[in-house]
Amino acid sequence: MRQHPCFSDDVRGFARLHLPVAPLCNIGCRYCLRRFDCVNESRPGVCSRVLSPEEAVQLFCRVRDRLPNLTVVGIAGPGDALANFPTVRATLAAIRRIDPGIRFCLSTNGLRLAEFLPELRALEVDYITVTVNAMTEGIGERLYSYVERSSTRLFGRAAFRYLRTKQWRGIREAVRQGICCKVNTVVVPGINEQETWRIAKGAAAMGCYMQNLLPLVSVPGTDFADGPTLSPGVLHTLRQECARYLRQMRHCQRCRADAIGVLGQDMCLL
């Protein structure tokens, strides 16, 4: 059984700890606006505060003492884990020295996944979630404002082509090296609903384990702040279509970057 509440049907049996040590991001998602002091807001990309590696390790030790069912330590932001890799590496390496059996999970946009795979394997990262929102250039251009390449920024369709190439290369290599991969897809009504099954089909062909369709959370200040809400019925239909190709996650709680505990019963220990 996979000892991870996102990858397992045993939602209550396993607890996870998200360590918010990754504030930077290297792409511009038009639906995303990250705030760090949002203690009453539950969505990806927010946390009460960013931790240093030392603070993160101290928090891990406290949580492990409180939660005997803690099985997974994840880094899910508030930015991109691999855009902050020196900090992420220091955090995971220190925790691995303390607890050789804990499982590691990272969330990333995939832009630098292939680049860091050797080190991720050395750190014994078991799970990776890659957010893939589009397959076609016209739709990708509408979802991303820029993508970083070295010291420059790409824009428009060139940006999305570069991101798409990096994402799928990283996913393919991660699966090949034995990492369990999940694909997250943020569903933006009126933009990428018909991309979801194409993403599912592509991810299945790469050997991914699961797809998670996430309805857009409209955030003030973003390009989609006033967009329509995805209805539960449409979400169900999209999941049914995608399930023809790839297992669907249906119990996602859209966790914060500092989530602690079992899904749906978060604790506040920061």
Side-chain angles (χ1 to χ4, degrees), residues 18-64:
H18 285 180
L19 296 174
V21 298
L24 304 177
C25 198
N26 46 20
I27 69 174
C29 299
R30 296 184 187 275
Y31 55 78
C32 180
L33 185 63
R34 290 172 291 124
R35 302 294 191 199
F36 299 156
D37 297 317
C38 301
V39 294
N40 296 315
E41 188 173 11
S42 183
R43 63 175 173 86
V46 298
C47 64
S48 295
R49 66 186 182 93
V50 175
L51 303 182
S52 68
E54 295 76 17
E55 291 173 321
V57 172
Q58 292 170 7
L59 177 60
F60 165 73
C61 292
R62 295 204 310 272
V63 172
R64 187 180 61 161

Side-chain angles (χ1 to χ4, degrees), residues 86-109:
T87 301
V88 168
R89 176 176 52 205
T91 302
L92 296 186
I95 291 175
R96 180 60 73 213
R97 288 192 291 270
I98 296 170
D99 190 335
I102 198 73
R103 296 175 182 271
F104 289 152
C105 177
L106 294 182
S107 294
T108 177
N109 54 48

Side-chain angles (χ1 to χ4, degrees), residues 243-261:
R244 294 166 52 199
Y245 305 100
L246 188 60
R247 178 196 305 261
Q248 295 293 297
M249 180 181 179
R250 302 174 188 270
H251 57 280
C252 179
Q253 300 296 305
R254 297 195 288 204
C255 298
R256 293 163 52 95
D258 55 5
I260 303 172

Side-chain angles (χ1 to χ4, degrees), residues 3-7 15-22 71-77 81-82 88 91-92 95-96 102-108 113 120 123-130 179-182 184 257:
Q3 295 181 336
H4 190 309
C6 298
F7 290 74
R16 85 294 192 218
L17 165 64
H18 285 180
L19 296 174
V21 298
T71 56
V72 178
V73 169
I75 297 180
L82 300 182
V88 168
T91 302
L92 296 186
I95 291 175
R96 180 60 73 213
I102 198 73
R103 296 175 182 271
F104 289 152
C105 177
L106 294 182
S107 294
T108 177
L113 178 54
L120 295 177
L123 290 165
E124 298 179 85
V125 172
D126 298 290
Y127 306 95
I128 289 177
T129 294
V130 183
I179 297 177
C180 185
C181 288
K182 173 167 64 73
N184 277 3

